[in-house]
């Protein structure tokens, strides 16, 4: 095949990514395949409860096209799972059975069964969800159980793949998904010591690290030389599913809320020990500086970052996206700079245009070294055949 024939074939390949507004959460839809004809779909999380209508409409749209969908529940925090509860709950059961292929939804039972751990009871799925993480304020156990009950009610719980871990290469309708988080070791330690958390070295520790406050008065240039804060130690984020999606020549990293040290170890399981170029990265944990590291920026090369955030955390605090993380990404971007593709104009509405200093605007924004792009229902083309949207019709 000569170059012209290959190029002609490549141009009919399409990957559309919808980064839907989900307040502080994540709700993504990937549709890919030939430009004309049947394509495949992946839903990654469902955002908050108000996204339920989006999820139901997307599923109905997929079914009407006689297409299939795989669903990833990256982890069970409410800002990722509540929209799935609502959306699947109001969807027709027969439609779901027709179009849903696999639901990737980690749970204790399947993890213990997979690794043949007999020392701890392998309860039923519902009980395993309840014991997947410790009881306590802030952990979405009730939402996880609710989602499982909905899947049972709709008779699609048999479609659950409940043990997704780093090193797996999942092939879905011609696409390859390199799973880089969580690690199998971490999953095992997590479910066998579910009253504690596991740090990056495998030792059992306690605690929960909140997001760091913003330093809005500090210039991006000065933040480039600051150290990253300690890695996110949230129990649920440390077992969040993160992967690299590859289809044809499109490569996108979807990190969920995964933690940088865990992602880096997962990348190395695929032999990624130096710069691996991707077209875009969906930043972890809504751009939190605690979920980025210098090592991760050195392993994954891109100039395009997707940020799903309205600028607030669940508690209404102004902590994301992290300005330190943006400064580090900008530093890595060098003279060509970077672009942030966002589903909210958080720098305007949430931070009242005070997120970036006058020097930031002069040195980076006005000369397009830092390009802030608000996504809409119009395609934002990263390259031929790869489009990003913020809404869908």
């Amino acid at each position: 095949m000569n170059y012209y024939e290959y190029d002609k074939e490549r141009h009919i390949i399409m990957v559309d990514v919808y980064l839907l507004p989900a307040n502080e959460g994540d709700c993504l839809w990937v549709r890919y395949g030939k430009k004309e004809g049947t394509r495949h779909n992946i839903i990654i999380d469902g955002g908050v409860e108000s996204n339920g209508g989006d999820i139901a409409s997307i599923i109905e749209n997929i079914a009407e096209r006689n297409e299939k969908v795989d669903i990833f529940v990256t982890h069970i925090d409410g800002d990722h799972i509540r929209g799935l509860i609502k959306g699947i709950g109001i969807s027709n059961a027969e439609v779901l059975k027709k179009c849903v292929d696999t639901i990737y939804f980690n749970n204790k039972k399947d993890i213990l069964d997979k690794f043949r751990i007999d020392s701890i009871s392998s309860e039923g799925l519902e009980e395993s969800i309840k014991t997947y993480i410790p009881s306590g304020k802030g952990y979405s156990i009730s939402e996880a159980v609710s989602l499982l009950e909905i899947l049972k009610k709709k008779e699609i719980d048999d479609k659950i793949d409940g043990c997704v871990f780093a090193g797996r290469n999942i092939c879905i309708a011609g696409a390859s998904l390199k799973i880089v988080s969580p690690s199998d070791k971490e999953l095992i330690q997590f479910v066998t010591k579910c009253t504690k958390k596991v740090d990056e070295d495998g030792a059992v520790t306690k605690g929960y690290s909140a997001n760091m406050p913003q330093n809005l008065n500090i210039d991006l240039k000065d933040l480039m030389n600051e150290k990253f804060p300690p890695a996110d130690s949230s129990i649920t984020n440390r077992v969040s599913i993160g992967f690299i999606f590859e289809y044809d020549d499109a490569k996108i990293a979807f990190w969920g809320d995964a933690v940088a040290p865990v992602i880096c170890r997962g990348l190395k399981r695929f032999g990624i020990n130096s710069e691996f170029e991707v077209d875009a990265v969906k930043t972890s944990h809504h751009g939190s500086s605690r979920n980025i590291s210098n090592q991760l920026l050195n392993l994954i090369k891109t100039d395009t970052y997707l940020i799903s955030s309205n600028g607030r955390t669940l508690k209404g605090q102004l902590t994301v996206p992290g300005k330190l993380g943006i400064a580090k990404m900008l530093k890595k971007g060098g003279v060509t700079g970077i672009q942030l593709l966002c589903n909210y104009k958080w720098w305007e509405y949430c931070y009242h245009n005070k997120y970036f200093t006058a020097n930031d605007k002069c040195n980076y924004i006005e000369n397009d070294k830092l390009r802030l792009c608000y996504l809409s229902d119009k395609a934002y083309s990263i390259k031929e055949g790869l489009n990003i949207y913020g809404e869908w019709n």
Side-chain angles (χ1 to χ4, degrees):
M1 180 178 289
N2 62 36
Y3 176 80
Y4 174 78
E5 291 173 327
Y6 172 79
D7 195 53
K8 182 178 179 181
E9 173 71 13
R10 185 177 70 81
H11 284 175
I12 66 171
I13 299 297
M14 296 294 293
V15 178
D16 294 327
V17 179
Y18 297 84
L19 187 74
L20 300 178
N23 293 330
E24 70 283 348
D26 273 8
C27 182
L28 296 99
W29 171 28
V30 182
R31 186 167 181 257
Y32 64 95
K34 295 291 182 69
K35 186 175 182 179
E36 303 296 336
T38 302
R39 295 160 71 181
H40 196 78
N41 304 268
I42 298 175
I43 292 173
I44 307 169
D45 293 330
V48 296
E49 185 175 2
S50 60
N51 290 111
D54 293 321
I55 294 297
S57 296
I58 289 169
I59 290 172
E60 184 178 359
N61 179 276
I62 290 168
E64 288 176 350
R65 295 173 185 267
N66 290 316
E67 296 177 351
K68 296 288 188 177
V69 61
D70 289 80
I71 299 173
F72 278 82
V73 185
T74 64
H75 61 302
I76 64 175
D77 282 350
D79 57 327
H80 293 250
I81 198 173
R82 289 175 185 151
L84 290 172
I85 296 170
K86 179 73 173 179
I88 294 174
I90 62 178
S91 294
N92 180 276
E94 294 307 313
V95 168
L96 290 166
K97 291 177 190 176
K98 174 185 175 182
C99 69
V100 174
D101 270 350
T102 305
I103 303 164
Y104 298 91
F105 185 13
N106 277 339
N107 63 82
K108 183 176 180 179
K109 178 182 182 299
D110 287 350
I111 293 167
L112 296 182
D113 288 348
K114 169 68 177 179
F115 298 107
R116 300 180 181 179
I117 299 173
D118 301 321
S119 58
I120 294 181
S121 173
S122 180
E123 307 93 337
L125 275 176
E126 184 172 340
E127 287 302 310
S128 79
I129 291 293
K130 291 179 180 178
T131 56
Y132 180 55
I133 59 173
S135 59
K137 184 178 180 181
Y139 302 134
S140 305
I141 298 175
S142 60
E143 284 91 346
V145 174
S146 294
L147 177 57
L148 180 61
E149 290 173 346
I150 291 293
L151 298 179
K152 285 183 176 180
K153 182 178 179 180
K154 301 294 182 177
E155 298 181 348
I156 55 173
D157 56 311
D158 60 332
K159 299 176 182 287
I160 294 175
D161 182 331
C163 188
V164 182
F165 56 92
R168 284 188 63 181
N169 191 24
I170 300 175
C171 296
I172 302 176
S176 170
L177 279 64
K178 291 181 170 65
I179 308 298
V180 298
S181 174
S183 70
D184 49 351
K185 178 180 178 181
E186 195 155 19
L187 270 184
I188 293 168
Q189 290 183 321
F190 186 61
V191 299
T192 56
K193 298 181 177 69
C194 62
T195 58
K196 301 176 182 179
K197 81 164 195 66
V198 183
D199 69 13
E200 61 188 83
D201 298 318
V204 177
T205 59
K206 298 180 180 180
Y208 182 94
S209 294
N211 278 308
M212 63 183 297
Q214 299 285 22
N215 294 311
L216 302 185
N217 295 324
I218 303 178
D219 295 341
L220 285 166
K221 183 177 180 180
D222 294 329
L223 285 173
M224 288 179 184
N225 298 316
E226 293 291 323
K227 291 183 178 180
F228 273 110
D232 182 0
S233 64
S234 163
I235 293 173
T236 51
N237 290 351
R238 296 191 70 85
V239 290
S240 175
I241 297 172
F243 57 86
I244 296 176
F245 168 91
E246 298 179 77
Y247 180 72
D248 196 61
D249 68 341
K251 294 182 178 66
I252 310 170
F254 294 99
W255 292 157
D257 278 5
V259 182
V262 178
I263 296 172
C264 291
R265 291 200 307 272
L267 290 170
K268 291 181 179 180
R269 296 187 70 162
F270 288 98
I272 299 174
N273 297 299
S274 58
E275 287 189 343
F276 182 83
E277 189 166 356
V278 299
D279 297 302
V281 169
K282 200 294 293 184
T283 58
S284 177
H285 204 192
H286 323 291
S288 170
S289 296
R290 291 194 182 278
N291 296 69
I292 309 171
S293 70
N294 288 321
Q295 183 184 17
L296 180 55
L297 292 174
N298 287 333
L299 288 176
I300 297 295
K301 180 181 180 181
T302 190
D303 63 0
T304 302
Y305 296 89
L306 313 184
I307 296 180
S308 178
S309 175
N310 63 357
R312 294 182 180 273
T313 67
L314 280 170
K315 296 182 180 180
Q317 298 172 325
L318 302 179
T319 58
V320 292
K323 189 171 181 179
L324 174 59
I326 292 175
K328 295 288 189 176
M329 292 186 289
L330 187 57
K331 181 179 181 180
K332 186 66 179 176
V335 295
T336 57
I338 61 171
Q339 55 186 351
L340 307 181
L341 309 187
C342 310
N343 50 13
Y344 290 91
K345 292 184 180 181
W346 44 266
W347 61 94
E348 289 185 9
Y349 303 135
C350 192
Y351 292 93
H352 308 293
N353 271 324
K354 295 181 180 179
Y355 188 94
F356 298 106
T357 67
N359 286 335
D360 295 336
K361 295 172 184 177
C362 178
N363 295 331
Y364 301 106
I365 296 176
E366 292 173 3
N367 61 15
D368 284 339
K369 287 186 177 179
L370 175 58
R371 301 175 293 281
L372 302 170
C373 306
Y374 171 65
L375 298 168
S376 67
D377 61 349
K378 306 299 182 184
Y380 185 96
S381 181
I382 293 181
K383 67 179 184 182
E384 182 93 31
L386 175 55
N387 300 312
I388 313 294
Y389 300 82
E391 299 175 22
W392 76 285
N393 294 322

